[in-house]
């Protein structure tokens, strides 16, 4: 089994004394889905953003797709990682001045130097897979939140990534729009995409994830299979958190 | 039908009644104001149509348009002005094809070399020295060249001001602050008097180009500040998205930062353009025969002595029409951009 992601004792503090991440270690195997859960401010975003170099860290070591990075910033390695790792954000972050198709083909054409027609064809194919190819010529603000987020997923997929990162992809959506995005992610997981997902969607995590990492105050409290985590969490802290989620 | 009209009349009267109250004092005030307005309007119209002697304009139209450009060659500046109006018309009324809209800026930029060729001559056309360029042609020439040069320079300055390279950042901040604290006329004097001193012996830049350099140096600083405002309005998350796609710094600047900041800065940039157009009139003090300069030289002709009101009213009208046109053009552009990208 090929290991895609190895994190060893990742530590980071924004201000002295308070650790946003505290000796975080985990591994992820190719084709598996890791769900990260934890209360607000526990460091979930910080952790997932270190994986593609949007956030630096102070100590520890990270191995992404065989590329090793540590606290010394190496722009070239980070560029290499970003070319092979896609990311989807909570607020979609589409480029408002470009059409949907231009949003999707920008990186394939300019980063991977692919032909425009080829990139557009592939983009249209991915859009039709998501059922939103009719919007290709529109601008992001003409789409609903759920549609925009699916475009953001397509934009990440257009680079044929080997690993996909999701930071709360459904938190900014209306409840009735959440499922269309989760369905898309489910399909990806079924097709064997390796994913790291920060989410509060318990049903999704139960069904799709292979491992759940529970984070609190920057510390890994436990890493368990979803069956165990959701029915019989080993730690008091995790159980409390799950109770709280159930209530909401 | 009749009833309808009557109703309208009543409505209209009521409107007036509510707008103009009939209390004694305000009634008096309104009557005085209205009679002042009406009588000055009548006086003005009377002057324009019966008293004024417009022959000073009529017989000098070609001077106002082309300056002392040789009369056999005046089709050249005329052709250029026609081309410009044509592009402006396409801009306003033309079809909304996307490829056309995307290339309009390039067409505008392309109008400059065409203008230089037509004015200057050479390559089959009789050369005309820039001393003979003048009138509206020269005003428009200086405006378009200056704005097209200062736009990229302004963008560059704005980007340098955010640069992580210390020297570049300090230099552009220094430059912008200096230019913004010096009056334009000083920069123009500098252009006319000092640029020749700095140039190596034998190299000469003629007056028109010195003026354009002066305006470009000045306006680019202001444009840089407008663009900086645009850059600051772009949320950090846009950069994160671009970074996570693996785009490099240059690509992010070119595809994300510049287009978005230009969009935000567009209204401010229009103001720069209109201001620049009006400020070209300062060059008449420095001896260029642009619109105002031509007006002054015509007034110096004994034949037209004392007709300055006619001349300046005429010039004001020309400036007013062109400024209104520019404002309209940019409104159109703004609408077009926000109709599909409403952000
Ligand atoms: N840029 C920053 N500067 C300073 N502190 C930060 C910064 N980003 C995050 N933090 C701090 O780091 C800690 C972890 O933040 P992070 O955003 O990773 O939490 P999170 O688990 O993603 O929370 P949420 O569920 O609200 O998104 C928080 O205490 C936060 O205040
Ligand atoms: Mg977060």
């Amino acid at each position: 089994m090929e290991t895609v992601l190895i994190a060893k004792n990742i530590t980071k503090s924004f201000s002295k004394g308070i650790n946003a991440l505290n000796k975080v270690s985990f591994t992820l195997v190719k084709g598996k889905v890791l769900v990260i859960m934890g209360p607000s401010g526990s460091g979930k975003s910080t952790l997932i953003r270190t994986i593609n170099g949007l956030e630096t860290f102070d100590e520890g070591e990270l191995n992404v797709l065989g590329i090793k990075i540590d606290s010394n910033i190496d722009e070239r390695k980070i560029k290499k990682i970003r070319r092979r790792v896609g990311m989807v954000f909570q607020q979609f972050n589409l480029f408002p001045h470009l059409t949907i198709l231009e949003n999707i083909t920008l990186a394939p054409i300019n980063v991977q130097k692919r032909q425009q027609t080829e990139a557009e064809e592939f983009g249209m194919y991915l859009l039709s897979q998501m059922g939103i190819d009719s919007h290709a010529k529109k601008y992001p603000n003409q789409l609903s939140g759920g549609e925009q987020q699916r475009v953001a997923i397509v934009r990440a997929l257009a680079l044929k990534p080997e690993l996909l990162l999701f930071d709360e992809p459904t938190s900014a959506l209306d409840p009735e729009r959440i499922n269309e995005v989760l369905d898309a992610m489910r399909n990806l997981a079924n097709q064997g995409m390796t994913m790291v997902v920060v989410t509060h969607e318990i049903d999704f995590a139960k069904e799709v994830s292979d491992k759940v990492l529970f984070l609190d105050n920057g510390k890994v409290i436990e890493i368990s299979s979803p069956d165990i985590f959701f029915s019989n969490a080993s730690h008091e802290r995790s159980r409390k958190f799950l109770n709280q989620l159930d209530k909401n | 039908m009749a009833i309808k009209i009557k109703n309208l009349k009543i409505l209209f009267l009521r409107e007036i009644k509510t707008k103009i109250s009939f209390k004694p004092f305000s009634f008096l005030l309104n009557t005085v104001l209205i009679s002042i307005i009406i009588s000055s309007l009548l006086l003005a119209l009377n002057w324009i149509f019966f008293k004024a002697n417009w022959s000073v304009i009529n017989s000098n139209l070609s001077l106002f348009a082309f300056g002392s450009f040789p009369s056999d060659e005046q089709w050249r500046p005329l052709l250029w002005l026609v081309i410009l109006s044509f592009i402006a018309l396409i801009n306003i009324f033309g079809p909304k094809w996307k490829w056309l809209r995307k290339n309009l800026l390039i067409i505008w930029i392309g109008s400059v070399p065409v203008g230089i060729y037509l004015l200057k001559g050479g390559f089959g056309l009789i050369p005309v020295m820039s001393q003979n360029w003048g009138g509206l042609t020269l005003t428009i020439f200086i405006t378009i060249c200056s704005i097209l040069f200062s736009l990229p320079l302004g963008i560059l300055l704005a980007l340098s001001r955010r640069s992580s390279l210390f020297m570049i950042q300090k230099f552009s901040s220094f430059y912008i602050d200096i230019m913004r604290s010096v009056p334009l006329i000083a920069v123009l004097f500098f252009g006319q008097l000092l640029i020749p001193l700095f140039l190596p012996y034998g190299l000469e830049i003629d007056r028109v180009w010195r003026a354009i350099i002066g305006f470009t140096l000045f306006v680019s600083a202001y444009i840089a500040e407008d663009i900086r405002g645009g850059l600051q309005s772009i949320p950090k998350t846009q950069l994160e998205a671009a970074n996570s796609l693996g785009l490099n710094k240059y690509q992010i600047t070119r595809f994300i930062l510049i287009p978005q900041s230009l969009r935000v800065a567009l209204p401010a940039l229009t103001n720069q353009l209109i201001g620049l157009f009006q400020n070209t009139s300062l060059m008449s003090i420095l001896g260029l025969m642009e619109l105002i300069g031509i007006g002054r030289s015509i007034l110096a002709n004994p034949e037209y002595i004392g007709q300055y009101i006619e001349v300046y009213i005429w010039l004001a009208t020309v400036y007013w029409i062109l400024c209104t046109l520019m404002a309209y053009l940019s409104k159109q552009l703004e609408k077009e951009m926000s109709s599909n990208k409403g952000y």
Side-chain angles (χ1 to χ4, degrees):
Chain A
M1 276 199 296
E2 195 182 330
T3 310
V4 171
L5 193 53
I6 308 167
K8 240 187 251 165
N9 294 324
I10 305 283
T11 300
K12 172 172 183 95
S13 59
F14 285 105
S15 49
K16 282 206 177 113
I18 307 158
N19 281 344
L21 294 176
N22 195 344
K23 301 207 170 195
V24 174
S25 302
F26 64 91
T27 61
L28 180 62
V29 170
K30 189 174 166 152
K32 301 286 181 187
V33 176
L34 172 72
V35 160
I36 301 177
M37 288 195 147
S40 181
S42 58
K44 306 182 296 292
S45 296
T46 311
L47 177 58
I48 199 169
R49 288 154 58 89
T50 58
I51 297 174
N52 70 346
L54 285 181
E55 209 79 71
T56 58
F57 48 94
D58 306 329
E59 282 168 46
E61 215 181 71
L62 200 57
N63 182 333
V64 187
L65 300 162
I67 304 163
K68 280 186 197 145
I69 52 174
D70 52 26
S71 54
N72 299 318
I73 302 158
D74 184 338
E75 287 284 346
R76 282 195 18 243
K77 281 186 182 172
I78 287 177
K79 281 259 152 61
K80 269 191 203 159
I81 291 176
R82 284 176 181 163
R83 244 173 256 158
R84 298 168 60 188
V85 177
M87 183 157 195
V88 175
F89 300 86
Q90 182 174 349
Q91 298 293 344
F92 329 137
N93 298 0
L94 296 178
F95 305 125
H97 62 299
L98 300 179
T99 64
I100 300 306
L101 195 58
E102 287 167 344
N103 260 281
I104 293 165
T105 55
L106 182 68
I109 292 173
N110 292 291
V111 177
Q112 297 184 330
K113 311 289 176 201
R114 281 198 254 154
Q115 291 286 319
Q116 180 172 351
T117 44
E118 183 210 331
E120 283 178 354
E121 264 167 35
F122 186 54
M124 287 307 293
Y125 164 76
L126 290 171
L127 281 174
S128 67
Q129 292 271 298
M130 295 270 173
I132 43 175
D133 46 335
S134 59
H135 299 312
K137 292 258 148 60
K138 292 187 185 165
Y139 286 89
N141 75 316
Q142 296 171 304
L143 269 58
S144 74
E147 289 162 345
Q148 287 189 52
Q149 192 60 299
R150 281 180 287 163
V151 171
I153 295 174
V154 168
R155 183 172 70 176
L157 286 175
L159 287 165
K160 302 185 178 158
E162 293 157 66
L163 169 66
L164 265 186
L165 311 173
F166 294 83
D167 188 2
E168 303 203 33
T170 57
S171 297
L173 298 178
D174 296 335
E176 60 267 29
R177 292 289 188 171
I178 289 179
N179 273 327
E180 56 192 53
V181 171
L182 290 182
D183 284 343
M185 293 169 62
R186 228 173 251 130
N187 283 336
L188 285 176
N190 291 337
Q191 289 162 25
M193 177 62 77
T194 319
M195 312 202 287
V196 178
V197 186
V198 176
T199 185
H200 296 299
E201 297 294 328
I202 293 183
D203 291 332
F204 174 81
K206 271 184 195 162
E207 188 190 334
V208 174
S209 71
D210 299 287
K211 256 198 243 174
V212 178
L213 186 159
F214 182 69
L215 209 59
D216 190 22
N217 268 327
K219 271 203 179 114
V220 178
I221 304 294
E222 65 173 295
I223 303 179
S224 329
S225 74
D227 300 339
I228 296 175
F229 183 78
F230 290 110
S231 57
N232 193 10
S234 47
H235 287 262
E236 177 63 25
R237 188 67 196 86
S238 323
R239 280 200 291 271
K240 240 191 207 161
F241 172 75
L242 288 172
N243 276 337
Q244 210 113 48
L245 268 192
D246 272 342
K247 268 181 219 154
N248 294 343
Chain B
M1 200 54 191
I3 295 172
K4 245 190 188 167
I5 290 173
K6 206 175 160 194
N7 273 342
L8 274 180
K9 253 189 194 161
I10 291 171
L11 270 178
F12 182 66
L13 282 179
R14 226 183 257 158
E15 182 100 315
I16 291 187
K17 256 187 205 164
T18 46
K19 288 248 164 78
I20 305 172
S21 95
F22 282 93
K23 285 176 195 143
F25 175 69
S26 43
F27 178 71
L28 192 73
L29 196 65
N30 280 321
T31 336
V32 170
L33 276 178
I34 288 173
S35 43
I36 288 177
I37 292 171
I38 288 179
S39 53
S40 45
L41 213 65
L42 284 176
L43 278 175
L45 288 175
N46 181 37
W47 184 85
I48 287 174
F49 285 109
F50 301 113
K51 291 232 179 94
N53 181 3
W54 294 111
S55 68
V56 61
I57 309 299
N58 289 334
S59 45
N60 288 314
L61 274 180
S62 76
L63 270 182
F64 280 114
F66 313 119
S68 50
F69 215 85
S71 48
D72 285 347
E73 302 294 322
Q74 286 185 353
W75 61 271
R76 281 151 53 176
L78 181 65
L79 177 62
W80 189 56
L81 291 182
V82 168
I83 290 175
L84 290 178
S85 342
F86 189 68
I87 303 177
L89 280 178
I90 292 181
N91 223 342
I92 299 177
F93 300 113
K96 301 272 174 267
W97 305 326
K98 211 171 165 191
W99 62 266
L100 179 73
R101 298 283 143 186
K102 273 196 170 154
N103 291 320
L104 264 176
L105 183 65
I106 297 171
I107 297 176
W108 275 112
I109 293 172
S111 73
V112 167
V114 172
I116 294 174
Y117 172 62
L118 282 174
L119 291 181
K120 195 171 169 144
F123 301 106
L125 293 178
I126 299 164
V128 175
M129 302 290 283
S130 68
Q131 282 94 311
N132 296 324
W133 306 0
L136 183 63
T137 318
L138 185 58
T139 295
I140 290 182
F141 184 77
I142 294 178
T143 308
I144 291 191
C145 286
S146 307
I147 200 78
L148 283 181
F149 293 146
S150 45
L151 198 60
L153 192 59
I155 293 174
L156 214 62
L157 282 168
L159 291 171
S160 321
R161 201 165 188 175
R162 292 161 48 111
S163 162
S164 48
L165 299 171
F166 182 79
M167 279 313 289
I168 289 183
Q169 191 239 325
K170 278 287 169 273
F171 172 78
S172 68
S173 302
F174 179 73
Y175 177 84
I176 292 170
D177 292 343
I178 288 281
M179 276 300 160
R180 278 158 45 92
S181 51
V182 173
L184 172 58
I185 189 75
V187 178
L188 294 176
F189 264 113
F190 168 83
Q192 291 303 312
L193 304 176
L194 292 181
I195 285 181
L197 298 183
F198 285 122
L199 288 176
Y201 183 76
L203 187 65
E204 238 176 88
I205 300 183
D206 73 52
R207 273 181 182 199
V208 172
W209 287 106
R210 274 181 273 159
I212 291 171
I213 291 174
F215 280 115
T216 301
L217 291 177
F218 186 79
V219 174
S220 58
Y222 284 84
I223 287 184
E225 283 299 276
D226 295 337
I227 303 271
R228 188 167 73 116
L231 286 171
Q232 277 170 346
S233 74
I234 301 172
K236 225 182 71 198
T237 50
Q238 287 284 306
L239 292 181
E240 290 179 351
N243 270 320
S244 73
L245 287 169
L247 295 166
N248 62 32
K249 257 189 198 152
Y250 164 76
Q251 291 164 335
I252 293 176
T253 306
R254 158 137 189 245
F255 297 120
I256 311 297
L257 294 181
I258 293 181
Q260 290 195 32
S261 60
L262 279 180
R263 162 79 192 86
V264 173
L266 188 63
L269 293 178
T270 311
N271 285 342
Q272 299 297 350
L273 173 66
I274 292 176
L276 172 66
F277 176 70
Q278 293 171 345
N279 285 336
T280 54
S281 58
L282 286 174
M283 288 314 294
S284 66
I285 303 173
L286 295 166
L288 276 194
M289 287 296 143
E290 44 64 71
L291 264 179
I292 299 281
I294 283 287
R296 280 161 48 123
S297 77
I298 289 173
L299 285 172
N301 182 342
E303 198 181 327
Y304 302 114
I305 221 141
Q307 303 216 19
Y308 51 90
I309 300 187
E310 284 90 344
V311 169
Y312 283 120
I313 284 189
W314 160 247
L315 289 178
T317 314
V318 172
Y319 276 104
W320 175 72
I321 290 174
L322 285 166
C323 287
T324 312
L325 190 75
M326 283 184 218
Y328 187 75
L329 259 169
S330 84
K331 273 258 169 60
Q332 205 70 15
L333 199 63
E334 248 168 81
K335 239 197 255 159
E336 213 168 273
M337 287 174 118
S338 58
S339 65
N340 44 24
K341 310 168 195 181
Y343 66 96

